[in-house]
Amino acid sequence: MMFVFLVLISHIMQTIATTCPNASRCVCDEEKHYAKCTNLLVIPVLTSYVTSLDFSRNFLRHLKRSTFTALEALKLENLSLANDNILRANSDSLNDLLYLRSLDLSRNPMILSVTVTAIMSIRSPFFSTLIINMNPSWKFIGIGSTLNALCTAFNLTHVSLRYSYVPSLSFNEMSKCVVLQFFDVSKGHIQFLEPGFLKHIKELNLQNNGITLKRGGFFGKKSTCSFPEIEILRLENNRIMNLDNRLSCLDKLRILILDNNPLMQISTNTFINLPSLSHLSIANLGDGLNTVKSLAFGSTSLNSLNFSGNKFMFKSLLSNIYFDKYNIFKLVPNLTELDLSGNIFDTSDVLTIMLLPAKLLKKLWLKNCGISTLPTGLFSNMPHLQEFVASYNNISAWDGNIVFGDYLKLKTLKLDSNSLSVVDESFFPLRTLNQLTAIDLRSNPFLCTCENLWFRNLIKQRTSLFTDVPFGYRCFLSPYKVTYLTDYNPTYSECYNVFLIVVTSISVTGIIVVIVSSIVYRCRWHIRYWIYLSTTKRRGLVYHSLTEDSSEFVYDAFVIYCDSDRSWVRTQLIEKVEKESGLKLCIHHRDFKAGQLIIDNIAENIAASRKILLLMSQDMLRSDWCLFEMRIAQERFLNKESDTMIVVMLETVLKDLMSPSLRFLINSTTYIEWPRKQYEEERFWNEVLRALQ
């Protein structure tokens, strides 16, 4: 809301700067082309990259052409001489600043004529921004004619005359300011405004004066609008008592601020003639407002409304207060942000009815409104609401299932500084809790009781969801003893009666789970084998007899091995059997089909393999899937195909560690041992290949 040209220098001043070369009392920032000097009598020589100089709070006193000799080599664009104790200025003082765009002469004791003399000496064709805030010598002097003279000499687009203490302002006298876009005469003593035509003005700041808008026309009419291009109008802290027929023809006005005016009523369709209005603030009006008529805020373009701090009594039975709860927001179809903080609601039903038409609301603020519970039906009527703030009220409890219902859009919930002593599971249904990204329940009078254990555990488990943990969440152990809620740890006996049933139920459930888990674990291979048999039966998978045509098999052998032996399989087995001998092996990490169940891969590939090659090792006995594959292989071995199984001992495996069925297999099958000496490896591979062929 501040003028762009007022922000320019302050933004530059916030950057990180270092001491300027050859100027110890100056700091420079090469990235921002900026320098700032303090407590100097003369302007020093600065580095060539400087285009913005803040030379405020120094001691110049007298502006002369020689004052700026050190700047002749610079292309200086922005210059601040604020608060430099300047009393006099020569008629050629600023002649040599040929690139100057903005000048700040605020808070200097120069009289009006001396100030104008200094400004008139500027010869830069780019000069467009003039800032002369808080000039104590300008009291009770009309500034319209002075600005007109300056606008005749320069193409001024930005002018700031804050704290000017002038009693009146005539826009009619500023007829030469035809390109003026930003004009700030705030925080003065302007009481009378004379209309005038400024066709390019975009932002007008008249706040903190004594202005009273006359009926029917300071801003003009459709055919003779004074400010046809204005977008931002600030009128807060004035003496405007009535808005009837005061606002019209401002077709491009987007932002209107009317805070801190002694308004007594807001009439029907007050803002209907502002077709571009998107943000309206009518806040902190005091105690005088007693009437808000039907359709008072009617506007199809309005997105944001600030009606906070007005102490308006939204109560149905008060004879001296009038508002229409059914129609107050009826013709505001695009309202997305609404602040009603600092007003009073007698029941939550009034609030719900008022906001029924506001279907597109995304943010709603209700701070300090005397609300005792969250209104039912409110959230279900606002399907787009994402932020709800109801701090500093008297809310102590609510039913989450009724209040939130199936509403799943709310992201931020702020209920700090209310009357919550206990927060239990019913406040936040799981669907709502999972949808929220920020919850603020700070500074509530929580009690250190067993009823708050659910809430305490929730804060511990999801700390990032809550604001200011643990400091904002304290609970009372006694009227005089307070601790952090997260540090509250009651003994079992303190909460025994409350949790007896719950603890008993959990214990019984736990015992049942342990028993079932034990049975499943002991019988896990029987269960997996049953699943395997069901799968093969369902899919019609059968083993092929060795007498059948070998062309029906896809692989010469299915290899059973554990992951720790994968390197041996890749570097030794595949190299010798596949690459050198031309046989085809089924290697699970290479040949299993992606996306298919492992059990199906095992069953199908064993059925498609002529033989089974079992690589025994200590790690294999600890692999669940290897044991499962081996059980299926044993089924085939016992199914009168005893020569289908080839066992290779990669290392010595104690038979005591084997299951009875595996021990039987080893005892009834001749196995091949991986040699410990390298010269015996050729014999080993010959035996493996002979068994496979």
Side-chain angles (χ1 to χ4, degrees), residues 399-447:
D399 188 326
N401 288 308
I402 296 177
V403 169
F404 298 111
D406 293 326
Y407 183 76
L408 295 176
K409 288 287 182 69
L410 195 66
K411 299 292 185 182
T412 302
L413 179 65
K414 294 187 177 183
L415 299 173
D416 51 299
S417 301
N418 273 277
S419 301
L420 293 168
S421 58
V422 173
V423 176
D424 61 42
E425 202 167 355
S426 66
F427 286 20
F428 295 102
L430 185 59
R431 57 183 178 277
T432 302
L433 196 60
N434 290 337
Q435 186 69 24
L436 287 167
T437 59
I439 301 176
D440 189 350
L441 299 179
R442 292 174 296 169
S443 304
N444 276 283
F446 300 115
L447 297 177

Side-chain angles (χ1 to χ4, degrees), residues 394-517:
N394 299 315
I395 298 171
S396 58
W398 65 86
D399 188 326
N401 288 308
I402 296 177
V403 169
F404 298 111
D406 293 326
Y407 183 76
L408 295 176
K409 288 287 182 69
L410 195 66
K411 299 292 185 182
T412 302
L413 179 65
K414 294 187 177 183
L415 299 173
D416 51 299
S417 301
N418 273 277
S419 301
L420 293 168
S421 58
V422 173
V423 176
D424 61 42
E425 202 167 355
S426 66
F427 286 20
F428 295 102
L430 185 59
R431 57 183 178 277
T432 302
L433 196 60
N434 290 337
Q435 186 69 24
L436 287 167
T437 59
I439 301 176
D440 189 350
L441 299 179
R442 292 174 296 169
S443 304
N444 276 283
F446 300 115
L447 297 177
C448 297
T449 67
C450 297
E451 294 172 283
N452 267 328
L453 285 183
W454 176 86
F455 182 45
R456 182 208 66 179
N457 294 335
L458 179 64
I459 294 176
K460 283 186 172 184
Q461 293 166 6
R462 302 182 63 178
T463 302
S464 60
L465 181 62
F466 294 89
T467 304
D468 194 22
V469 176
F471 307 106
Y473 299 83
R474 303 172 187 266
C475 65
F476 290 88
L477 290 164
S478 69
Y480 308 102
K481 189 175 181 180
V482 181
T483 186
Y484 294 130
L485 186 59
T486 51
D487 291 340
Y488 172 57
N489 291 301
T491 62
Y492 176 80
S493 59
E494 290 176 310
C495 298
Y496 178 79
N497 292 333
V498 177
F499 293 102
L500 180 59
I501 297 175
V502 176
V503 171
T504 303
S505 301
I506 292 175
S507 299
V508 172
T509 303
I511 292 171
I512 294 173
V513 169
V514 170
I515 293 173
V516 172
S517 299

Side-chain angles (χ1 to χ4, degrees), residues 203-215:
E203 183 171 343
L204 178 60
N205 190 346
L206 296 169
Q207 65 173 309
N208 290 82
N209 283 286
I211 298 170
T212 57
L213 291 180
K214 294 182 180 180
R215 179 183 178 89

